Amino acid sequence: LATDYWACSWKAAEWLYGDRIPKEKIAIMKNAIDADKFLFDQLFREQHRKAFGLDGSFVIGHIGRFEYQKNHEFLIRVFAGLKDEISNARLVLIGDGSLWRNMEEMIEEYDLEDQVLLCGKQAEIEKWYQAMDVFLLPSRFEGLPIVGVEAQSAGLPCILSDRITKEAAITKRCKFLSLKEGARLWADAVIQVQKKGPRRSAEFLPVAVYYDLDRQKEQLKTLV
């Protein structure tokens, strides 16, 4: 009975509609954000890192439900493979879900209790982006992850799974890696980020404008 067909990305549209709906009938509505809320600020970064007990650490971040899709076990293996090369590394995991206890057990198995922070659900998530140094998203599948858009807007170097649509890239510091290549490839990519030095403001690609909340409001007006 639908009269209009929307999706947040073409990959999401393919999953949702398949061949049943012609492409010309589908409108892509990006997962827009209030970009000003996430923009990099060095002073805020220093304040939040100190408040979270992360001052002096190299912070690897992830935000997502503790479920199969988000692939947390891969994150733990990546971190285990780089912790000896980045002695001040910390892995911050924000979110909760049915696999929480599994991750606790895996963290204990790899003897990472002092280096991995299980933070649960968090309010004012923009503060955590400021505190991080790199953002990892090794999802097994995604439509278009809004956390990836937020992290990039905050100027974070982002390493995303190649199972995520390339439409998610809105800055020059977004990289896609295969999960099949294994955790070592991802660990090496994080180490390269660490060697490049401190964070800086995002260098947006032209496509980033479509993820701005005000721009999407205007597009919405033309579709209703």
Side-chain angles (χ1 to χ4, degrees):
L1 300 176
T3 59
D4 297 85
Y5 304 91
W6 296 0
C8 63
S9 71
W10 284 113
K11 189 169 187 176
E14 181 181 352
W15 173 82
L16 184 61
Y17 304 123
D19 296 330
R20 294 170 298 164
I21 307 299
K23 277 192 172 183
E24 58 268 22
K25 290 188 176 183
I26 299 172
I28 300 300
M29 294 294 295
K30 302 293 188 183
N31 284 335
I33 64 168
D34 181 0
D36 291 343
K37 182 178 178 181
F38 297 95
L39 295 179
F40 178 65
D41 185 298
Q42 182 63 37
L43 179 59
F44 285 173
R45 170 176 165 80
E46 293 171 4
Q47 291 174 345
H48 299 327
R49 283 168 66 85
K50 187 174 182 179
F52 297 147
L54 296 169
D55 201 20
S57 298
F58 180 79
V59 183
I60 301 160
H62 177 271
I63 301 172
R65 294 171 293 105
F66 281 61
E67 304 294 347
Y68 173 81
Q69 170 191 356
K70 300 298 182 178
N71 206 7
H72 283 82
E73 63 269 29
F74 188 85
L75 274 173
I76 302 300
R77 291 197 296 271
V78 170
F79 186 76
L82 61 80
K83 66 182 180 66
D84 292 333
E85 296 177 69
I86 307 178
S87 59
N88 64 336
R90 298 292 181 271
L91 176 60
V92 170
L93 302 177
I94 297 173
D96 64 9
S98 65
L99 298 179
W100 177 283
R101 181 55 190 156
N102 299 62
M103 291 306 101
E104 285 184 321
E105 293 173 353
M106 191 172 183
I107 289 166
E108 292 170 6
E109 177 186 345
Y110 280 90
D111 194 24
L112 298 173
E113 295 95 326
D114 294 334
Q115 294 160 295
V116 179
L117 283 70
L118 292 169
C119 301
K121 288 184 176 180
Q122 293 290 320
E124 298 180 306
I125 203 68
E126 66 274 9
K127 295 180 179 180
W128 288 94
Y129 288 123
Q130 295 290 333
M132 296 173 187
D133 291 288
V134 62
F135 188 82
L136 270 59
L137 198 63
S139 302
R140 290 184 168 98
F141 53 89
E142 290 276 1
L144 197 150
I146 197 165
V147 293
V149 176
E150 293 172 347
Q152 289 177 80
S153 296
L156 276 168
C158 292
I159 304 173
L160 277 56
S161 158
D162 64 355
R163 306 287 180 85
I164 296 171
T165 175
K166 302 301 187 294
E167 296 168 75
I170 65 167
T171 71
K172 294 181 179 180
R173 303 192 76 188
C174 181
K175 184 174 187 177
F176 294 86
L177 291 181
S178 170
L179 296 175
K180 293 181 180 179
E181 297 293 334
R184 183 67 251 174
L185 177 69
W186 284 64
D188 288 342
V190 172
I191 291 168
Q192 289 304 309
V193 169
Q194 190 262 348
K195 289 179 178 178
K196 288 181 180 179
R199 276 184 58 185
R200 56 183 184 269
S201 298
E203 297 180 68
F204 288 103
L205 299 171
V207 69
V209 68
Y210 296 106
Y211 292 86
D212 178 75
L213 194 58
D214 289 333
R215 176 67 177 259
Q216 285 298 82
K217 287 178 183 176
E218 292 304 314
Q219 182 178 351
L220 180 61
K221 290 177 184 178
T222 68
L223 295 174
V224 294

